[in-house]
Amino acid sequence: MRVARHVRALPIAFSLVSGDLLADSAWTVPGIVNASGLNGTHFVSDLTVTNPGGAPANVTLSFFPGSSSPKNVTLNPGQTVVYSDVAGVTFGVSGGAGALSISSDQPLLIRAKTYNTAASGTYGVALPVVGSDRI
């Protein structure tokens, strides 16, 4: 059973990676969180951003709702950056949830997940990444 689930997920993953990448684009990731759950769990969200292109990508990350200023980063060609607990570490959010806006002057590959950090193990879900043309 477990193998069958992974096999079905592969075509979906390849279709996401092989889709048209647009420069000068913006994306939204809903469900970004840093908050306590039941039974001693704590939920956080990680963000992974990759620049698959041949030119540097100027990227801006903004958390909504929030009072912190946007974060700017430049990704070199082929570079991947992982933001563990993006709400808490990058934006100082504790006990809250929201959405993350990502914009860039180059195409990006973006992945996000929310999961608990319980001592007995983790449980989580991949988050959707919605392009500005879909909002």
Side-chain angles (χ1 to χ4, degrees):
M1 284 287 190
R2 190 173 208 146
V3 173
R5 284 188 217 147
H6 291 299
V7 171
R8 280 182 273 168
L10 284 175
I12 295 169
F14 287 128
S15 68
L16 292 174
V17 172
S18 65
D20 293 335
L21 299 174
L22 303 174
D24 297 316
S25 294
W27 303 267
T28 300
V29 181
I32 299 295
V33 66
N34 177 314
S36 296
L38 294 175
N39 301 320
T41 60
H42 190 83
F43 288 84
V44 296
S45 299
D46 293 350
L47 174 73
T48 303
V49 182
T50 300
N51 175 3
N58 298 304
V59 180
T60 301
L61 306 174
S62 302
F63 183 80
F64 297 100
S67 59
S68 61
S69 59
K71 309 299 181 198
N72 297 309
V73 64
T74 299
L75 294 178
N76 292 319
Q79 182 179 5
T80 296
V81 176
V82 177
Y83 296 92
S84 297
D85 185 13
V86 67
V89 174
T90 306
F91 292 99
V93 174
S94 178
L100 192 63
S101 174
I102 304 158
S103 62
S104 175
D105 61 352
Q106 298 294 320
L108 298 175
L109 296 175
I110 302 167
R111 292 147 327 270
K113 64 181 178 180
T114 292
Y115 59 98
N116 71 13
T117 57
S120 60
T122 63
Y123 178 79
V125 64
L127 298 174
V129 178
V130 182
S132 60
D133 61 334
R134 309 283 259 166
I135 296 177

